Amino acid sequence: MTTREKGLWTAVIILTVSVAALGGLIMLRGLLKPGDVTKGDGDHAVAEMGQEGISEEQWIAELKKRYGATTLLQMLNRKVVEAEAGRLGIKVTQEDLQQVLEQDSKGYASDRAYFEEMQQQFGLNPDDLRSEAEYRIGLEKIATQGIQVQEADIDQYWKQHPEEFAVGKQIKLAAIYATQAEEAEMLLERVKQGESFDTLLQEHSSHLFGRDKSGQLGWVDEYDPFQPQEIMEAARELSSGDVAGPIAVNEGYAVIFVQDIRLEAPTNEQQIRQQIRRSLALAQAAPLEEVEKSLRDKYGVRILPGKDMPSISL
């Protein structure tokens, strides 16, 4: 799995946690009795448009309708995984958590940058991320209970997939987009004549070109698939402080500036072997969704009848 694929998987997990956190509020709020909401002047209003409003009850009902089933199922999954882990004596260690969080944050400038991005984009703090990682690890340990991975299998996988564990490179990149090659050539010449790339960026900061926008791209992986391939191919050949262009991208041209380069620290051999062991064991295990379902069946999970209860296939 590449760094970006791991990042995309992390994004899926983060979105799941976001729904769970939101749904938890919905389910808790849904348990309140009708008398708990002020009725004197109507339900509490949470938004207004002129004389019209949206009440808290309407808001909660809509959220519960949209996300209630998913959230309730996730809450139940956590209960049964916790119960099974306790029965089997499975523990999630700090080392387990640290390793998973390091994998999730790979490709970010630092752990702090990863946590800040998750907080900004999804409203999740470090405790939320650790909680989700702990659940994933516990579920995976239950799924792989009893599965043996031979050292020879680890050696073979490492030999066949060396690119997954190679020391990578990150590039701090800035780009200016232009619609015409002549404009891009003029920008490149101005930089060569001594003008600051930052100055040119300020001039073009609001210049939109297709889906791209001139500006700081920040730290990106050298094979980042979310950047135009032509730009990354050129950037990989440059040194810190170099500029290049015009680079044909989409329906226009770009001038790029490599601000800095850094090598990713290699993971130590023990961590790599643990990572491979975990992947190979999961490949032999049942899909995690099936494991969750089998645990719900084992512990007799059922949905109690009630007004507005979500329909869930257990």
Side-chain angles (χ1 to χ4, degrees), residues 164-198:
E164 293 188 21
F165 313 102
V167 176
K169 180 170 68 175
Q170 289 190 322
I171 303 170
K172 191 175 184 181
L173 198 61
I176 300 176
Y177 296 94
T179 55
Q180 301 295 327
E182 293 77 9
E183 182 184 1
E185 289 174 352
M186 180 185 67
L187 292 169
L188 180 63
E189 186 61 29
R190 289 173 62 181
V191 175
K192 290 181 177 179
Q193 293 298 323
E195 285 196 56
S196 166
F197 201 89
D198 287 340

Side-chain angles (χ1 to χ4, degrees), residues 41 43-56 58-59:
D41 298 321
D43 296 336
H44 293 301
V46 295
E48 292 181 344
M49 184 188 72
Q51 298 300 314
E52 297 182 8
I54 296 177
S55 71
E56 184 177 9
Q58 290 174 320
W59 177 47

Side-chain angles (χ1 to χ4, degrees), residues 175-177 201 204-217:
I176 300 176
Y177 296 94
L201 277 177
H204 293 75
S205 61
S206 61
H207 173 69
L208 291 176
F209 169 66
R211 293 175 56 195
D212 301 313
K213 183 175 181 180
S214 301
Q216 303 285 352
L217 302 182

Side-chain angles (χ1 to χ4, degrees), residues 249-298:
V249 289
N250 297 330
E251 298 177 356
Y253 300 86
V255 177
I256 64 172
F257 172 41
V258 175
Q259 299 168 306
D260 199 1
I261 294 175
R262 67 185 178 196
L263 295 177
E264 295 179 350
T267 308
N268 65 47
E269 181 175 346
Q270 181 181 0
Q271 288 178 329
I272 290 176
R273 299 189 72 85
Q274 288 177 348
Q275 181 180 337
I276 296 174
R277 187 186 306 278
R278 175 184 169 205
S279 297
L280 293 179
L282 284 171
Q284 298 179 51
L288 296 181
E289 287 186 359
E290 291 184 12
V291 176
E292 290 172 326
K293 184 180 186 308
S294 69
L295 291 176
R296 294 196 300 271
D297 292 340
K298 177 177 180 177

Side-chain angles (χ1 to χ4, degrees), residues 5-253:
E5 287 171 335
K6 291 175 182 175
L8 290 173
W9 170 241
T10 301
V12 172
I13 294 296
I14 297 307
L15 289 173
T16 301
V17 179
S18 299
V19 172
L22 177 60
L25 170 64
I26 299 168
M27 299 303 293
L28 178 62
R29 180 62 181 81
L31 294 175
L32 295 179
K33 299 177 182 179
D36 293 333
V37 179
T38 300
K39 295 292 184 180
D41 298 321
D43 296 336
H44 293 301
V46 295
E48 292 181 344
M49 184 188 72
Q51 298 300 314
E52 297 182 8
I54 296 177
S55 71
E56 184 177 9
E57 286 295 333
Q58 290 174 320
W59 177 47
I60 295 299
E62 183 66 19
L63 291 174
K64 186 175 178 180
K65 180 176 70 175
R66 288 178 179 269
Y67 306 113
T70 299
T71 301
L72 182 56
L73 189 60
Q74 290 176 341
M75 294 170 71
L76 291 170
N77 285 340
R78 275 169 161 69
K79 290 288 187 182
V80 296
V81 166
E82 181 181 355
E84 185 69 359
R87 187 187 73 82
L88 295 173
I90 289 175
K91 303 293 184 182
V92 177
T93 66
Q94 287 300 314
E95 183 180 358
D96 292 331
L97 284 172
Q98 185 62 30
Q99 185 174 352
V100 168
L101 290 173
E102 284 179 0
Q103 292 175 10
D104 289 348
S105 61
K106 189 176 180 182
Y108 292 83
S110 63
D111 289 348
R112 180 177 178 180
Y114 167 67
F115 288 138
E116 288 178 350
E117 181 72 12
M118 294 302 101
Q119 179 71 56
Q120 180 179 356
Q121 294 294 324
F122 304 106
L124 298 173
N125 60 41
D127 288 339
D128 296 325
L129 298 173
R130 291 189 181 94
S131 176
E132 174 58 26
E134 186 172 6
Y135 173 74
R136 274 192 288 159
I137 296 167
L139 177 60
E140 289 176 359
K141 286 189 174 186
I142 291 171
T144 57
Q145 185 79 358
I147 295 177
Q148 298 295 323
V149 176
Q150 303 300 319
E151 295 299 318
D153 295 332
I154 296 176
D155 293 335
Q156 182 179 8
Y157 185 91
W158 197 344
K159 183 177 180 180
Q160 292 176 345
H161 303 86
E163 72 284 352
E164 293 188 21
F165 313 102
V167 176
K169 180 170 68 175
Q170 289 190 322
I171 303 170
K172 191 175 184 181
L173 198 61
I176 300 176
Y177 296 94
T179 55
Q180 301 295 327
E182 293 77 9
E183 182 184 1
E185 289 174 352
M186 180 185 67
L187 292 169
L188 180 63
E189 186 61 29
R190 289 173 62 181
V191 175
K192 290 181 177 179
Q193 293 298 323
E195 285 196 56
S196 166
F197 201 89
D198 287 340
T199 299
L200 298 182
L201 277 177
Q202 292 176 7
E203 292 180 8
H204 293 75
S205 61
S206 61
H207 173 69
L208 291 176
F209 169 66
R211 293 175 56 195
D212 301 313
K213 183 175 181 180
S214 301
Q216 303 285 352
L217 302 182
W219 289 101
V220 296
D221 292 343
E222 60 178 331
Y223 292 98
D224 191 328
F226 285 83
Q227 301 299 335
Q229 181 179 351
E230 299 82 0
I231 285 182
M232 298 313 302
E233 287 179 352
R236 287 196 294 270
E237 301 300 320
L238 300 178
S239 301
S240 179
D242 287 349
V243 293
I247 301 169
V249 289
N250 297 330
E251 298 177 356
Y253 300 86

